[in-house]
Amino acid sequence: MNGSFRKKPNGSWELRVWIDMPDGSHIQKSFCRRTKALAKAAYEEFVEKGKRQKESRQTVDGWGKEWLELKKGSVSYRTYANYELYCNKYVLPAIGKKQIAKVTPADIEHLMGRASHLSKSARHHIFITVDQIMKSAVRNGLRQQNPCEGLSVKAEAPLKKIEWFSLDEIQTIIKNLDKPFGVAIALMLYTGLRSEEIMGLRWGDINQKEKTITVRRAVTRVAKGEFLPVERSKNDKVRIVTYGDGIVYLWG
């Protein structure tokens, strides 16, 4: 232990120690308690906790869980929920017991192979999650390189042909627009807006003279069971959508 004690004016004891950091730097930390013994015990508890954390970080499971905690609050609720789902359900069960420094590209390919039955979207999210975990491990000095580099999500079977409403189906929808949610359905039908964008509209977004709608926000989930309008669209860009006479009656 590289440190020293000093008695403070209030009668307590302070232990000041220099601590070696993983990046080679040194920081000074203080532990103040009623007695020298308690101050030293606080320092030893700090050191032991650091050892346990360091040991935990050595595995994908340990670092993956710590990475999730770091992400909480720094990304949107929806993004965090996706990270949590794909990390806990797919990444950790597949490679969680492996040493973080020893994960190879072959391990990542094996992980993705286990998810081959999932949709391309799901496999993409799994890959993004493990890629972010490994990038963070590199930044924090836990490994030299990202094993995900040079890998990609394999394409799935050709997409099914997009189906659209027939004229008869459209006529049926139009005839029933006087029913609940008819205004929202009309907006989706005539403008192509998504439901979360429609829920985020305000009267100031509608220019009746120019027959345009400005999409500035979308209602999104910000916590479990809580939804709020967020000032952004799908690609974080404000866009303007034109509309025809078919929905002019909505503003009456």
Side-chain angles (χ1 to χ4, degrees):
M1 179 182 69
N2 181 17
S4 60
F5 288 99
R6 79 179 182 95
K7 193 169 186 178
K8 303 184 71 175
N10 64 2
S12 64
W13 285 89
E14 178 185 24
L15 171 59
R16 289 183 177 179
V17 295
W18 285 97
I19 298 175
D20 298 330
M21 301 301 290
D23 61 2
S25 63
H26 309 280
I27 62 169
Q28 191 178 60
K29 191 169 180 64
S30 296
F31 301 87
C32 297
R33 297 294 187 273
R34 288 186 296 104
T35 66
K36 281 185 177 182
L38 290 175
K40 184 178 180 182
Y43 161 70
E44 291 172 345
E45 182 182 356
F46 173 82
V47 172
E48 185 61 29
K49 182 179 179 181
K51 287 181 179 178
R52 290 196 301 269
Q53 184 181 50
K54 184 176 181 180
E55 290 172 359
S56 173
R57 282 183 165 188
Q58 301 307 309
T59 65
V60 177
D61 183 86
W63 179 246
K65 291 175 180 176
E66 185 172 343
W67 172 81
L68 275 176
E69 283 299 312
L70 294 172
K71 284 296 180 182
K72 187 181 294 184
S74 64
V75 296
S76 70
Y77 176 83
R78 181 179 293 180
T79 298
Y80 176 79
N82 278 336
Y83 281 148
E84 185 178 40
L85 169 66
Y86 292 108
C87 180
N88 291 332
K89 190 171 183 179
Y90 299 103
V91 178
L92 300 188
I95 59 174
K97 294 182 180 180
K98 287 188 170 292
Q99 296 290 303
I100 191 77
K102 296 182 179 180
V103 176
T104 65
D107 293 323
I108 304 300
E109 290 180 328
H110 175 67
L111 161 66
M112 298 310 300
R114 288 179 55 165
S116 60
H117 63 288
L118 301 175
S119 68
K120 185 176 181 180
S121 175
R123 288 185 284 115
H124 174 74
H125 280 97
I126 293 171
F127 184 80
I128 289 296
T129 300
V130 70
D131 182 51
Q132 289 296 314
I133 291 173
M134 293 302 163
K135 282 180 179 177
S136 183
V138 172
R139 289 195 300 270
N140 285 274
L142 301 179
R143 58 175 297 122
Q144 295 297 313
Q145 291 182 314
N146 180 0
C148 297
E149 288 182 2
L151 302 181
S152 60
V153 179
K154 292 182 180 179
E156 59 183 353
L159 295 175
K160 293 170 62 178
K161 182 180 179 181
I162 297 176
E163 297 182 1
W164 51 83
F165 291 121
S166 66
L167 290 177
D168 288 340
E169 289 171 328
I170 292 174
Q171 289 299 323
T172 300
I173 293 172
I174 293 174
K175 289 177 181 178
N176 289 276
L177 291 178
D178 58 337
K179 296 183 178 180
F181 305 107
V183 172
I185 293 172
L187 285 171
M188 287 189 280
L189 179 64
Y190 285 104
T191 67
L193 292 180
R194 296 179 293 130
S195 58
E196 52 265 47
E197 293 173 333
I198 292 172
M199 289 188 288
L201 288 178
R202 297 173 182 170
W203 281 113
D205 301 323
I206 301 170
N207 187 325
Q208 297 183 49
K209 182 178 180 180
E210 300 294 331
K211 294 184 180 178
T212 62
I213 298 174
T214 301
V215 183
R216 294 185 173 89
R217 68 197 69 78
V219 170
T220 187
R221 185 169 59 176
V222 296
K224 189 173 183 179
E226 183 178 354
F227 295 79
L228 289 174
V230 177
E231 296 289 328
R232 63 181 181 184
S233 61
K234 184 176 181 181
N235 298 312
D236 289 334
K237 295 179 180 179
V238 172
R239 75 181 194 278
I240 297 176
V241 178
T242 59
Y243 64 85
D245 295 333
I247 59 173
V248 170
Y249 75 95
L250 295 177
W251 323 133

